[in-house]
Amino acid sequence: MIPDRLANFPPFVPWWHVALAILVVLSIIVGYIVSAALRQRRLQQLGKLPQIKRMIQSHSPVLAVVRPVLVSLALLLLLLAWWRPQHAGKARMVKARGIDLVIVLDYSKSMYARDIPLSRIKRAKQELGRLLDKMHGTRVGMVIFAGSVKELPLTTDYNAVKLFWEDKTPHDMPVGGTAIGLALTSAVRLLQRVRGKGKGKQRDQAVLLITDGEDHQSEPLKAARMAKKLGIRVYTLGIGSPMGELIPEILEDGKQVGYLKHNGKFVTTKLDSKTLREISRLTSGRYIQATAAAFGVDRFVKEIDKLKKSETKRRIKREYRDSYRLLVFLALLLLLCEATLGSRRWSMRKR
């Protein structure tokens, strides 16, 4: 893990950023090698050995290595600056304000589909981690589901919430399928338990449902109506493609052995946005469509910021400041050094 005092990088760095960095560095190294080879070839074509030796003596092989290293380091620093690293600043005491929230995450095997980068389930975990990092004072509970559910009661210990889902996979669910109605009912009951406790009455309550919406077993709209009666808003985040996607067959050790089949035919998974939109409409929530570029967590944060919140205990809040300016400065300094080095040995002898 990166120490808190050093930097906070985004949890999801596009793969092509890393690929671009590797490509640029390799291109620089290859360019310098080709340049050195062409220079050697030109010297050999002169055909006068004494003159060639004198020319080679003035050329520094050390500088020939140092220059591409400096340029490569400078470009890597610029790429790091592009990712906007941060360092920990001052800590201060604040009163946090929040709501009651239950996150409901689909753990059916259809979440192995890769129409979202990495896979639906892996990307969802990353984005939920980013969501919890933005929470302050909100009590958060968790329900993961397939054909059955597993629950985590509401808490402000966000690390405990992350640990709840971190190492789990669809293989950990005892019953397969996608029972959205059962999961929503479980979430509503978790929220009912904290009503009237402490300042629970003053808080708005909400559910964030992340799923592809394919419910073949339960009655999600019936559960949505129950949430509506209790004033609980359900925000649905649809993940997946409406065109259909093959479902990878993943073993418990994480290896893929093909794609799921039923009666000799490949099984596909499609996003059922109609049901998810209706759940949100019934509960005065909002439907959000996840895409490869924008998963939808930021939109959800803006929505819950509109809800009524209550104050909780004082806590320590640490501010973070951008560190990219220092990286840009160091990169420019390295490029300046490379430009002034030249390629010949330094000599103090008088001619």
Side-chain angles (χ1 to χ4, degrees):
M1 295 179 64
I2 299 174
D4 195 40
R5 66 181 181 274
L6 293 182
N8 284 338
F9 284 96
F12 179 71
V13 177
W15 64 267
W16 61 271
H17 283 200
V18 179
L20 179 62
I22 296 173
L23 180 62
V24 169
V25 172
L26 290 177
S27 298
I28 293 171
I29 294 173
V30 170
Y32 274 92
I33 291 174
V34 171
S35 177
L38 292 175
R39 179 181 176 279
Q40 187 70 19
R41 185 178 178 183
R42 287 196 298 269
L43 289 174
Q44 291 174 351
Q45 290 176 348
L46 293 176
K48 297 179 180 180
L49 290 178
Q51 183 180 2
I52 292 174
K53 288 181 179 181
R54 286 196 299 272
M55 294 176 68
I56 292 176
Q57 284 175 356
S58 66
H59 180 75
S60 172
V62 175
L63 292 177
V65 175
V66 170
R67 292 181 63 197
V69 169
L70 290 177
V71 175
S72 300
L73 288 175
L75 290 176
L76 287 176
L77 288 173
L78 290 175
L79 184 63
L80 290 175
W82 188 12
W83 290 339
R84 297 292 295 271
Q86 297 178 325
H87 66 275
K90 295 181 179 179
R92 57 191 177 91
M93 295 293 294
V94 297
K95 276 190 176 181
R97 298 176 62 86
I99 64 170
D100 289 336
L101 171 68
V102 175
I103 299 169
V104 181
L105 179 58
D106 189 345
Y107 261 69
S108 62
K109 289 186 178 180
S110 62
M111 294 292 283
Y112 278 133
R114 297 195 177 100
D115 44 9
I116 294 290
L118 301 181
S119 72
R120 296 177 182 178
I121 189 67
K122 288 183 179 179
R123 182 72 183 277
K125 287 180 179 181
Q126 285 187 340
E127 294 292 336
L128 285 179
R130 196 162 65 89
L131 171 64
L132 289 180
D133 290 339
K134 297 184 178 183
M135 293 293 175
H136 304 294
T138 292
R139 293 187 295 203
V140 178
M142 188 85 188
V143 175
I144 60 175
F145 72 97
S148 59
V149 302
K150 291 185 178 183
E151 301 177 351
L152 177 71
L154 276 76
T155 177
T156 54
D157 185 349
Y158 304 135
N159 287 328
V161 181
K162 291 179 182 180
L163 287 173
F164 180 70
W165 81 64
E166 194 170 46
D167 296 325
K168 288 186 175 64
T169 70
H171 286 286
D172 295 313
M173 304 306 296
V175 181
T178 310
I180 296 176
L182 181 62
L184 278 181
T185 300
S186 179
V188 170
R189 288 174 179 167
L190 285 176
L191 291 170
Q192 281 183 296
R193 291 175 198 167
V194 298
R195 287 196 170 194
K197 293 183 179 180
K199 296 184 179 181
K201 289 183 178 180
Q202 301 176 19
R203 293 168 174 250
D204 274 351
Q205 294 187 315
V207 173
L208 173 60
L209 170 63
I210 303 177
T211 179
D212 54 27
E214 288 189 306
D215 187 342
H216 306 296
Q217 304 177 33
S218 60
E219 300 179 69
L221 296 183
K222 182 178 179 180
R225 294 186 187 98
M226 180 173 69
K228 178 183 178 182
K229 290 179 181 179
L230 295 170
I232 299 171
R233 299 172 186 257
V234 181
Y235 296 84
T236 56
L237 199 158
I239 179 171
S241 167
M243 305 302 295
E245 183 75 12
L246 291 175
I247 303 175
E249 186 172 0
I250 307 294
L251 301 179
E252 291 190 18
D253 60 4
K255 293 182 180 179
Q256 181 178 343
V257 291
Y259 294 90
L260 284 179
K261 290 184 178 181
H262 181 69
N263 294 331
K265 296 182 179 179
F266 288 110
V267 180
T268 59
T269 171
K270 295 181 181 180
L271 172 66
D272 181 8
S273 60
K274 181 179 179 181
T275 299
L276 298 181
R277 291 178 187 276
E278 184 62 14
I279 291 172
S280 294
R281 188 193 67 80
L282 285 172
T283 60
S284 301
R286 184 176 292 275
Y287 171 75
I288 301 171
Q289 173 67 56
T291 65
F295 193 79
V297 163
D298 294 325
R299 287 182 57 191
F300 172 70
V301 171
K302 291 180 181 178
E303 290 295 327
I304 62 173
D305 281 343
K306 303 174 186 177
L307 302 181
K308 183 179 179 181
K309 302 177 180 180
S310 66
E311 289 187 354
T312 58
K313 298 178 182 178
R314 287 183 176 271
R315 64 180 187 84
I316 296 177
K317 180 180 179 181
R318 185 172 294 278
E319 297 177 346
Y320 289 91
R321 299 178 180 177
D322 289 330
S323 303
Y324 71 91
R325 294 180 183 86
L326 176 61
L327 296 175
V328 172
F329 173 77
L330 292 175
L332 294 177
L333 188 62
L334 290 175
L335 291 175
L336 181 62
C337 290
E338 189 277 338
T340 57
L341 280 178
S343 61
R344 297 181 181 276
R345 289 190 178 96
W346 294 346
S347 177
M348 300 298 293
R349 294 180 302 175
K350 294 182 179 180
R351 296 188 179 182

